[in-house]
Amino acid sequence: MRIEARALRMAGRLSPSDFAAGEGELIGLVGPNGSGKTSFLRGLAGITGEADRLCIDGEPLCSLPPAARAHRIAYLPASRLLEWPIPVSRVLRLSPSPVEEDSVERMVAHLELEPLLDRPSNALSTGERGRVLLGRALALEPSVLLLDEPLANLDPYWVLKVTDLLEDAAAGGTTIIAALHDLALVGRFGRLLLMREGQIIADGKSEKVANEPLFAATFRLHGAAPSWTL
């Protein structure tokens, strides 16, 4: 499975750019606040912005009906809002098309959601909501998974646990692009995109990109990974 965007852009946010990712890539998306990471993910998800061509495996995203689209591409926004007073067990199954029960049960086990299943989703902590919404996205078994700050508001155990889960999903063939702020974790991602002022200014293997002078300069840091200083 391959995702392609040709001349992806968003008024006032993204400069026109081309992007492609192959099956099973685990990609970290980094850049200073306001660099365009969220706009980039939303553009790839087809939520906002425009592209001359936005395709998954050669098929235009706009041509897919909602049920098929749900299993091709899933997007987890940085907001962890869940305002509905419905139980977590229902949230995990919300989808335009049926979700495999085995897949839901796997996510419940992996993300240790069993104690939360009967709780109202709007009564959870921010970190708990993040786990629930990630579980819902993964339960769809999408070909492409777009994650905006999936590790935010998680304690150290869950940061490592979720990172392991993303690595496993990528190994199974899911293409994952995740916006990150914790630069100490970029080495867990095979490919790294560096953004600044609405543009991708570096794209390559994480170790190479993170050690380029451009990387440190973009974040106004000195040195090289992982020992940056102010």
PDB file of all heavy atoms in Angstrom, residues 30-68:
ATOM      1  N   VAL A  30       8.549  16.019  12.565  1.00  0.00           N
ATOM      2  CA  VAL A  30       8.990  16.941  13.604  1.00  0.00           C
ATOM      3  C   VAL A  30       9.166  18.337  13.030  1.00  0.00           C
ATOM      4  O   VAL A  30       9.313  18.531  11.827  1.00  0.00           O
ATOM      5  CB  VAL A  30      10.316  16.477  14.246  1.00  0.00           C
ATOM      6  CG1 VAL A  30      10.141  15.136  14.948  1.00  0.00           C
ATOM      7  CG2 VAL A  30      11.443  16.400  13.219  1.00  0.00           C
ATOM      8  N   GLY A  31       9.163  19.304  13.928  1.00  0.00           N
ATOM      9  CA  GLY A  31       9.354  20.696  13.561  1.00  0.00           C
ATOM     10  C   GLY A  31       8.916  21.577  14.713  1.00  0.00           C
ATOM     11  O   GLY A  31       8.161  21.134  15.588  1.00  0.00           O
ATOM     12  N   PRO A  32       9.362  22.818  14.747  1.00  0.00           N
ATOM     13  CA  PRO A  32       8.953  23.728  15.821  1.00  0.00           C
ATOM     14  C   PRO A  32       7.445  23.956  15.814  1.00  0.00           C
ATOM     15  O   PRO A  32       6.762  23.660  14.827  1.00  0.00           O
ATOM     16  CB  PRO A  32       9.702  25.031  15.481  1.00  0.00           C
ATOM     17  CG  PRO A  32      10.782  24.634  14.529  1.00  0.00           C
ATOM     18  CD  PRO A  32      10.264  23.454  13.777  1.00  0.00           C
ATOM     19  N   ASN A  33       6.926  24.494  16.904  1.00  0.00           N
ATOM     20  CA  ASN A  33       5.510  24.859  16.962  1.00  0.00           C
ATOM     21  C   ASN A  33       5.176  25.788  15.797  1.00  0.00           C
ATOM     22  O   ASN A  33       5.914  26.739  15.512  1.00  0.00           O
ATOM     23  CB  ASN A  33       5.188  25.566  18.279  1.00  0.00           C
ATOM     24  CG  ASN A  33       5.262  24.629  19.460  1.00  0.00           C
ATOM     25  OD1 ASN A  33       5.114  23.419  19.319  1.00  0.00           O
ATOM     26  ND2 ASN A  33       5.496  25.172  20.642  1.00  0.00           N
ATOM     27  N   GLY A  34       4.058  25.502  15.129  1.00  0.00           N
ATOM     28  CA  GLY A  34       3.636  26.342  14.021  1.00  0.00           C
ATOM     29  C   GLY A  34       4.322  26.059  12.701  1.00  0.00           C
ATOM     30  O   GLY A  34       4.141  26.798  11.732  1.00  0.00           O
ATOM     31  N   SER A  35       5.097  24.969  12.639  1.00  0.00           N
ATOM     32  CA  SER A  35       5.834  24.676  11.402  1.00  0.00           C
ATOM     33  C   SER A  35       4.960  24.047  10.327  1.00  0.00           C
ATOM     34  O   SER A  35       5.368  23.958   9.172  1.00  0.00           O
ATOM     35  CB  SER A  35       7.021  23.763  11.699  1.00  0.00           C
ATOM     36  OG  SER A  35       6.596  22.536  12.269  1.00  0.00           O
ATOM     37  N   GLY A  36       3.763  23.566  10.698  1.00  0.00           N
ATOM     38  CA  GLY A  36       2.847  23.010   9.704  1.00  0.00           C
ATOM     39  C   GLY A  36       2.593  21.521   9.823  1.00  0.00           C
ATOM     40  O   GLY A  36       2.006  20.914   8.928  1.00  0.00           O
ATOM     41  N   LYS A  37       3.002  20.913  10.937  1.00  0.00           N
ATOM     42  CA  LYS A  37       2.842  19.454  11.084  1.00  0.00           C
ATOM     43  C   LYS A  37       1.376  19.044  11.042  1.00  0.00           C
ATOM     44  O   LYS A  37       1.003  18.107  10.324  1.00  0.00           O
ATOM     45  CB  LYS A  37       3.486  18.995  12.406  1.00  0.00           C
ATOM     46  CG  LYS A  37       4.976  19.253  12.497  1.00  0.00           C
ATOM     47  CD  LYS A  37       5.584  18.673  13.761  1.00  0.00           C
ATOM     48  CE  LYS A  37       5.049  19.275  15.050  1.00  0.00           C
ATOM     49  NZ  LYS A  37       5.375  20.713  15.172  1.00  0.00           N
ATOM     50  N   THR A  38       0.536  19.732  11.813  1.00  0.00           N
ATOM     51  CA  THR A  38      -0.890  19.387  11.832  1.00  0.00           C
ATOM     52  C   THR A  38      -1.524  19.635  10.472  1.00  0.00           C
ATOM     53  O   THR A  38      -2.319  18.816   9.984  1.00  0.00           O
ATOM     54  CB  THR A  38      -1.616  20.190  12.921  1.00  0.00           C
ATOM     55  OG1 THR A  38      -1.135  19.779  14.212  1.00  0.00           O
ATOM     56  CG2 THR A  38      -3.123  19.955  12.865  1.00  0.00           C
ATOM     57  N   SER A  39      -1.177  20.746   9.841  1.00  0.00           N
ATOM     58  CA  SER A  39      -1.718  21.041   8.509  1.00  0.00           C
ATOM     59  C   SER A  39      -1.323  19.955   7.514  1.00  0.00           C
ATOM     60  O   SER A  39      -2.125  19.550   6.661  1.00  0.00           O
ATOM     61  CB  SER A  39      -1.202  22.399   8.026  1.00  0.00           C
ATOM     62  OG  SER A  39      -1.688  23.444   8.835  1.00  0.00           O
ATOM     63  N   PHE A  40      -0.090  19.476   7.614  1.00  0.00           N
ATOM     64  CA  PHE A  40       0.385  18.422   6.723  1.00  0.00           C
ATOM     65  C   PHE A  40      -0.419  17.140   6.919  1.00  0.00           C
ATOM     66  O   PHE A  40      -0.881  16.518   5.950  1.00  0.00           O
ATOM     67  CB  PHE A  40       1.876  18.179   6.981  1.00  0.00           C
ATOM     68  CG  PHE A  40       2.488  17.108   6.131  1.00  0.00           C
ATOM     69  CD1 PHE A  40       2.746  17.329   4.789  1.00  0.00           C
ATOM     70  CD2 PHE A  40       2.823  15.874   6.669  1.00  0.00           C
ATOM     71  CE1 PHE A  40       3.319  16.342   4.001  1.00  0.00           C
ATOM     72  CE2 PHE A  40       3.400  14.879   5.894  1.00  0.00           C
ATOM     73  CZ  PHE A  40       3.642  15.118   4.553  1.00  0.00           C
ATOM     74  N   LEU A  41      -0.621  16.745   8.171  1.00  0.00           N
ATOM     75  CA  LEU A  41      -1.376  15.522   8.442  1.00  0.00           C
ATOM     76  C   LEU A  41      -2.832  15.661   7.995  1.00  0.00           C
ATOM     77  O   LEU A  41      -3.403  14.733   7.411  1.00  0.00           O
ATOM     78  CB  LEU A  41      -1.309  15.186   9.928  1.00  0.00           C
ATOM     79  CG  LEU A  41       0.052  14.733  10.461  1.00  0.00           C
ATOM     80  CD1 LEU A  41       0.005  14.594  11.986  1.00  0.00           C
ATOM     81  CD2 LEU A  41       0.495  13.426   9.823  1.00  0.00           C
ATOM     82  N   ARG A  42      -3.423  16.804   8.263  1.00  0.00           N
ATOM     83  CA  ARG A  42      -4.820  17.016   7.859  1.00  0.00           C
ATOM     84  C   ARG A  42      -4.946  17.033   6.331  1.00  0.00           C
ATOM     85  O   ARG A  42      -5.938  16.556   5.777  1.00  0.00           O
ATOM     86  CB  ARG A  42      -5.357  18.310   8.457  1.00  0.00           C
ATOM     87  CG  ARG A  42      -5.615  18.212   9.955  1.00  0.00           C
ATOM     88  CD  ARG A  42      -5.977  19.572  10.558  1.00  0.00           C
ATOM     89  NE  ARG A  42      -7.202  20.109  10.011  1.00  0.00           N
ATOM     90  CZ  ARG A  42      -8.438  19.824  10.452  1.00  0.00           C
ATOM     91  NH1 ARG A  42      -8.590  18.973  11.461  1.00  0.00           N
ATOM     92  NH2 ARG A  42      -9.494  20.382   9.905  1.00  0.00           N
ATOM     93  N   GLY A  43      -3.932  17.574   5.672  1.00  0.00           N
ATOM     94  CA  GLY A  43      -3.950  17.555   4.211  1.00  0.00           C
ATOM     95  C   GLY A  43      -3.860  16.143   3.668  1.00  0.00           C
ATOM     96  O   GLY A  43      -4.582  15.777   2.736  1.00  0.00           O
ATOM     97  N   LEU A  44      -2.971  15.323   4.253  1.00  0.00           N
ATOM     98  CA  LEU A  44      -2.860  13.931   3.817  1.00  0.00           C
ATOM     99  C   LEU A  44      -4.140  13.155   4.084  1.00  0.00           C
ATOM    100  O   LEU A  44      -4.497  12.251   3.334  1.00  0.00           O
ATOM    101  CB  LEU A  44      -1.699  13.243   4.532  1.00  0.00           C
ATOM    102  CG  LEU A  44      -0.283  13.595   4.090  1.00  0.00           C
ATOM    103  CD1 LEU A  44       0.730  12.820   4.921  1.00  0.00           C
ATOM    104  CD2 LEU A  44      -0.070  13.303   2.607  1.00  0.00           C
ATOM    105  N   ALA A  45      -4.822  13.506   5.171  1.00  0.00           N
ATOM    106  CA  ALA A  45      -6.074  12.825   5.509  1.00  0.00           C
ATOM    107  C   ALA A  45      -7.226  13.270   4.624  1.00  0.00           C
ATOM    108  O   ALA A  45      -8.309  12.671   4.653  1.00  0.00           O
ATOM    109  CB  ALA A  45      -6.420  13.066   6.980  1.00  0.00           C
ATOM    110  N   GLY A  46      -6.999  14.319   3.834  1.00  0.00           N
ATOM    111  CA  GLY A  46      -8.059  14.830   2.969  1.00  0.00           C
ATOM    112  C   GLY A  46      -9.112  15.616   3.722  1.00  0.00           C
ATOM    113  O   GLY A  46     -10.219  15.823   3.225  1.00  0.00           O
ATOM    114  N   ILE A  47      -8.754  16.101   4.926  1.00  0.00           N
ATOM    115  CA  ILE A  47      -9.725  16.838   5.741  1.00  0.00           C
ATOM    116  C   ILE A  47      -9.772  18.296   5.315  1.00  0.00           C
ATOM    117  O   ILE A  47     -10.843  18.881   5.166  1.00  0.00           O
ATOM    118  CB  ILE A  47      -9.354  16.733   7.232  1.00  0.00           C
ATOM    119  CG1 ILE A  47      -9.440  15.277   7.685  1.00  0.00           C
ATOM    120  CG2 ILE A  47     -10.268  17.612   8.090  1.00  0.00           C
ATOM    121  CD1 ILE A  47      -8.904  15.034   9.073  1.00  0.00           C
ATOM    122  N   THR A  48      -8.607  18.895   5.150  1.00  0.00           N
ATOM    123  CA  THR A  48      -8.511  20.284   4.702  1.00  0.00           C
ATOM    124  C   THR A  48      -7.371  20.376   3.707  1.00  0.00           C
ATOM    125  O   THR A  48      -6.542  19.481   3.589  1.00  0.00           O
ATOM    126  CB  THR A  48      -8.230  21.239   5.883  1.00  0.00           C
ATOM    127  OG1 THR A  48      -7.085  20.770   6.598  1.00  0.00           O
ATOM    128  CG2 THR A  48      -9.416  21.313   6.827  1.00  0.00           C
ATOM    129  N   GLY A  49      -7.314  21.489   2.997  1.00  0.00           N
ATOM    130  CA  GLY A  49      -6.257  21.683   2.020  1.00  0.00           C
ATOM    131  C   GLY A  49      -6.618  21.061   0.683  1.00  0.00           C
ATOM    132  O   GLY A  49      -7.703  20.530   0.482  1.00  0.00           O
ATOM    133  N   GLU A  50      -5.674  21.139  -0.228  1.00  0.00           N
ATOM    134  CA  GLU A  50      -5.881  20.638  -1.575  1.00  0.00           C
ATOM    135  C   GLU A  50      -4.636  19.892  -2.036  1.00  0.00           C
ATOM    136  O   GLU A  50      -3.543  20.107  -1.537  1.00  0.00           O
ATOM    137  CB  GLU A  50      -6.155  21.796  -2.554  1.00  0.00           C
ATOM    138  CG  GLU A  50      -7.407  22.597  -2.238  1.00  0.00           C
ATOM    139  CD  GLU A  50      -7.588  23.755  -3.200  1.00  0.00           C
ATOM    140  OE1 GLU A  50      -6.651  23.995  -4.006  1.00  0.00           O
ATOM    141  OE2 GLU A  50      -8.630  24.409  -3.153  1.00  0.00           O
ATOM    142  N   ALA A  51      -4.829  19.037  -3.015  1.00  0.00           N
ATOM    143  CA  ALA A  51      -3.705  18.355  -3.651  1.00  0.00           C
ATOM    144  C   ALA A  51      -4.104  18.062  -5.091  1.00  0.00           C
ATOM    145  O   ALA A  51      -5.260  17.745  -5.371  1.00  0.00           O
ATOM    146  CB  ALA A  51      -3.364  17.056  -2.928  1.00  0.00           C
ATOM    147  N   ASP A  52      -3.149  18.229  -5.990  1.00  0.00           N
ATOM    148  CA  ASP A  52      -3.440  17.863  -7.378  1.00  0.00           C
ATOM    149  C   ASP A  52      -3.738  16.373  -7.481  1.00  0.00           C
ATOM    150  O   ASP A  52      -4.502  15.927  -8.322  1.00  0.00           O
ATOM    151  CB  ASP A  52      -2.255  18.220  -8.274  1.00  0.00           C
ATOM    152  CG  ASP A  52      -2.086  19.733  -8.416  1.00  0.00           C
ATOM    153  OD1 ASP A  52      -3.045  20.459  -8.104  1.00  0.00           O
ATOM    154  OD2 ASP A  52      -0.998  20.173  -8.820  1.00  0.00           O
ATOM    155  N   ARG A  53      -3.108  15.618  -6.598  1.00  0.00           N
ATOM    156  CA  ARG A  53      -3.357  14.179  -6.559  1.00  0.00           C
ATOM    157  C   ARG A  53      -3.098  13.675  -5.149  1.00  0.00           C
ATOM    158  O   ARG A  53      -2.031  13.876  -4.595  1.00  0.00           O
ATOM    159  CB  ARG A  53      -2.436  13.458  -7.551  1.00  0.00           C
ATOM    160  CG  ARG A  53      -2.649  11.951  -7.594  1.00  0.00           C
ATOM    161  CD  ARG A  53      -1.680  11.309  -8.562  1.00  0.00           C
ATOM    162  NE  ARG A  53      -1.848   9.847  -8.556  1.00  0.00           N
ATOM    163  CZ  ARG A  53      -1.055   9.018  -9.217  1.00  0.00           C
ATOM    164  NH1 ARG A  53      -0.059   9.496  -9.936  1.00  0.00           N
ATOM    165  NH2 ARG A  53      -1.246   7.714  -9.165  1.00  0.00           N
ATOM    166  N   LEU A  54      -4.099  13.038  -4.549  1.00  0.00           N
ATOM    167  CA  LEU A  54      -3.958  12.444  -3.224  1.00  0.00           C
ATOM    168  C   LEU A  54      -4.523  11.032  -3.329  1.00  0.00           C
ATOM    169  O   LEU A  54      -5.731  10.838  -3.443  1.00  0.00           O
ATOM    170  CB  LEU A  54      -4.726  13.264  -2.179  1.00  0.00           C
ATOM    171  CG  LEU A  54      -4.664  12.807  -0.725  1.00  0.00           C
ATOM    172  CD1 LEU A  54      -3.230  12.704  -0.239  1.00  0.00           C
ATOM    173  CD2 LEU A  54      -5.445  13.761   0.172  1.00  0.00           C
ATOM    174  N   CYS A  55      -3.620  10.047  -3.352  1.00  0.00           N
ATOM    175  CA  CYS A  55      -4.022   8.679  -3.661  1.00  0.00           C
ATOM    176  C   CYS A  55      -3.472   7.690  -2.645  1.00  0.00           C
ATOM    177  O   CYS A  55      -2.410   7.908  -2.056  1.00  0.00           O
ATOM    178  CB  CYS A  55      -3.512   8.265  -5.038  1.00  0.00           C
ATOM    179  SG  CYS A  55      -4.115   9.263  -6.407  1.00  0.00           S
ATOM    180  N   ILE A  56      -4.204   6.607  -2.473  1.00  0.00           N
ATOM    181  CA  ILE A  56      -3.714   5.460  -1.723  1.00  0.00           C
ATOM    182  C   ILE A  56      -3.703   4.276  -2.679  1.00  0.00           C
ATOM    183  O   ILE A  56      -4.739   3.893  -3.219  1.00  0.00           O
ATOM    184  CB  ILE A  56      -4.583   5.167  -0.494  1.00  0.00           C
ATOM    185  CG1 ILE A  56      -4.499   6.330   0.494  1.00  0.00           C
ATOM    186  CG2 ILE A  56      -4.145   3.877   0.182  1.00  0.00           C
ATOM    187  CD1 ILE A  56      -5.307   6.130   1.761  1.00  0.00           C
ATOM    188  N   ASP A  57      -2.510   3.758  -2.904  1.00  0.00           N
ATOM    189  CA  ASP A  57      -2.312   2.660  -3.848  1.00  0.00           C
ATOM    190  C   ASP A  57      -2.892   2.998  -5.219  1.00  0.00           C
ATOM    191  O   ASP A  57      -3.505   2.150  -5.873  1.00  0.00           O
ATOM    192  CB  ASP A  57      -2.933   1.372  -3.310  1.00  0.00           C
ATOM    193  CG  ASP A  57      -2.092   0.147  -3.665  1.00  0.00           C
ATOM    194  OD1 ASP A  57      -0.894   0.317  -3.945  1.00  0.00           O
ATOM    195  OD2 ASP A  57      -2.645  -0.959  -3.677  1.00  0.00           O
ATOM    196  N   GLY A  58      -2.678   4.236  -5.644  1.00  0.00           N
ATOM    197  CA  GLY A  58      -3.101   4.670  -6.960  1.00  0.00           C
ATOM    198  C   GLY A  58      -4.551   5.077  -7.063  1.00  0.00           C
ATOM    199  O   GLY A  58      -4.983   5.553  -8.111  1.00  0.00           O
ATOM    200  N   GLU A  59      -5.329   4.912  -6.005  1.00  0.00           N
ATOM    201  CA  GLU A  59      -6.757   5.236  -6.033  1.00  0.00           C
ATOM    202  C   GLU A  59      -6.983   6.576  -5.350  1.00  0.00           C
ATOM    203  O   GLU A  59      -6.583   6.760  -4.196  1.00  0.00           O
ATOM    204  CB  GLU A  59      -7.552   4.144  -5.323  1.00  0.00           C
ATOM    205  CG  GLU A  59      -9.049   4.270  -5.488  1.00  0.00           C
ATOM    206  CD  GLU A  59      -9.792   3.048  -4.964  1.00  0.00           C
ATOM    207  OE1 GLU A  59      -9.170   2.235  -4.259  1.00  0.00           O
ATOM    208  OE2 GLU A  59     -10.994   2.920  -5.258  1.00  0.00           O
ATOM    209  N   PRO A  60      -7.624   7.533  -6.042  1.00  0.00           N
ATOM    210  CA  PRO A  60      -7.858   8.845  -5.436  1.00  0.00           C
ATOM    211  C   PRO A  60      -8.655   8.723  -4.138  1.00  0.00           C
ATOM    212  O   PRO A  60      -9.693   8.046  -4.098  1.00  0.00           O
ATOM    213  CB  PRO A  60      -8.657   9.596  -6.504  1.00  0.00           C
ATOM    214  CG  PRO A  60      -8.297   8.918  -7.788  1.00  0.00           C
ATOM    215  CD  PRO A  60      -8.101   7.474  -7.431  1.00  0.00           C
ATOM    216  N   LEU A  61      -8.169   9.380  -3.095  1.00  0.00           N
ATOM    217  CA  LEU A  61      -8.837   9.300  -1.797  1.00  0.00           C
ATOM    218  C   LEU A  61     -10.261   9.835  -1.876  1.00  0.00           C
ATOM    219  O   LEU A  61     -11.177   9.302  -1.237  1.00  0.00           O
ATOM    220  CB  LEU A  61      -8.026  10.081  -0.762  1.00  0.00           C
ATOM    221  CG  LEU A  61      -8.425   9.933   0.698  1.00  0.00           C
ATOM    222  CD1 LEU A  61      -8.285   8.491   1.157  1.00  0.00           C
ATOM    223  CD2 LEU A  61      -7.579  10.843   1.583  1.00  0.00           C
ATOM    224  N   CYS A  62     -10.458  10.869  -2.688  1.00  0.00           N
ATOM    225  CA  CYS A  62     -11.779  11.497  -2.767  1.00  0.00           C
ATOM    226  C   CYS A  62     -12.816  10.573  -3.397  1.00  0.00           C
ATOM    227  O   CYS A  62     -14.025  10.794  -3.249  1.00  0.00           O
ATOM    228  CB  CYS A  62     -11.700  12.808  -3.532  1.00  0.00           C
ATOM    229  SG  CYS A  62     -11.169  12.631  -5.242  1.00  0.00           S
ATOM    230  N   SER A  63     -12.369   9.538  -4.104  1.00  0.00           N
ATOM    231  CA  SER A  63     -13.311   8.639  -4.767  1.00  0.00           C
ATOM    232  C   SER A  63     -13.808   7.524  -3.856  1.00  0.00           C
ATOM    233  O   SER A  63     -14.731   6.780  -4.217  1.00  0.00           O
ATOM    234  CB  SER A  63     -12.665   8.016  -6.014  1.00  0.00           C
ATOM    235  OG  SER A  63     -11.668   7.071  -5.642  1.00  0.00           O
ATOM    236  N   LEU A  64     -13.203   7.386  -2.681  1.00  0.00           N
ATOM    237  CA  LEU A  64     -13.565   6.279  -1.797  1.00  0.00           C
ATOM    238  C   LEU A  64     -14.806   6.612  -0.970  1.00  0.00           C
ATOM    239  O   LEU A  64     -14.891   7.688  -0.380  1.00  0.00           O
ATOM    240  CB  LEU A  64     -12.404   5.969  -0.838  1.00  0.00           C
ATOM    241  CG  LEU A  64     -11.091   5.501  -1.465  1.00  0.00           C
ATOM    242  CD1 LEU A  64     -10.024   5.375  -0.392  1.00  0.00           C
ATOM    243  CD2 LEU A  64     -11.289   4.169  -2.166  1.00  0.00           C
ATOM    244  N   PRO A  65     -15.778   5.708  -0.887  1.00  0.00           N
ATOM    245  CA  PRO A  65     -16.919   5.924   0.002  1.00  0.00           C
ATOM    246  C   PRO A  65     -16.457   5.847   1.447  1.00  0.00           C
ATOM    247  O   PRO A  65     -15.405   5.269   1.754  1.00  0.00           O
ATOM    248  CB  PRO A  65     -17.864   4.773  -0.353  1.00  0.00           C
ATOM    249  CG  PRO A  65     -16.981   3.717  -0.928  1.00  0.00           C
ATOM    250  CD  PRO A  65     -15.866   4.433  -1.619  1.00  0.00           C
ATOM    251  N   PRO A  66     -17.226   6.439   2.388  1.00  0.00           N
ATOM    252  CA  PRO A  66     -16.796   6.490   3.785  1.00  0.00           C
ATOM    253  C   PRO A  66     -16.408   5.142   4.371  1.00  0.00           C
ATOM    254  O   PRO A  66     -15.433   5.038   5.109  1.00  0.00           O
ATOM    255  CB  PRO A  66     -18.017   7.081   4.501  1.00  0.00           C
ATOM    256  CG  PRO A  66     -18.684   7.923   3.465  1.00  0.00           C
ATOM    257  CD  PRO A  66     -18.486   7.183   2.176  1.00  0.00           C
ATOM    258  N   ALA A  67     -17.169   4.088   4.055  1.00  0.00           N
ATOM    259  CA  ALA A  67     -16.863   2.774   4.633  1.00  0.00           C
ATOM    260  C   ALA A  67     -15.506   2.265   4.188  1.00  0.00           C
ATOM    261  O   ALA A  67     -14.727   1.736   4.991  1.00  0.00           O
ATOM    262  CB  ALA A  67     -17.955   1.777   4.256  1.00  0.00           C
ATOM    263  N   ALA A  68     -15.196   2.414   2.903  1.00  0.00           N
ATOM    264  CA  ALA A  68     -13.900   1.956   2.397  1.00  0.00           C
ATOM    265  C   ALA A  68     -12.776   2.853   2.888  1.00  0.00           C
ATOM    266  O   ALA A  68     -11.686   2.384   3.226  1.00  0.00           O
ATOM    267  CB  ALA A  68     -13.921   1.937   0.868  1.00  0.00           C
TER     268      ALA A  68
END
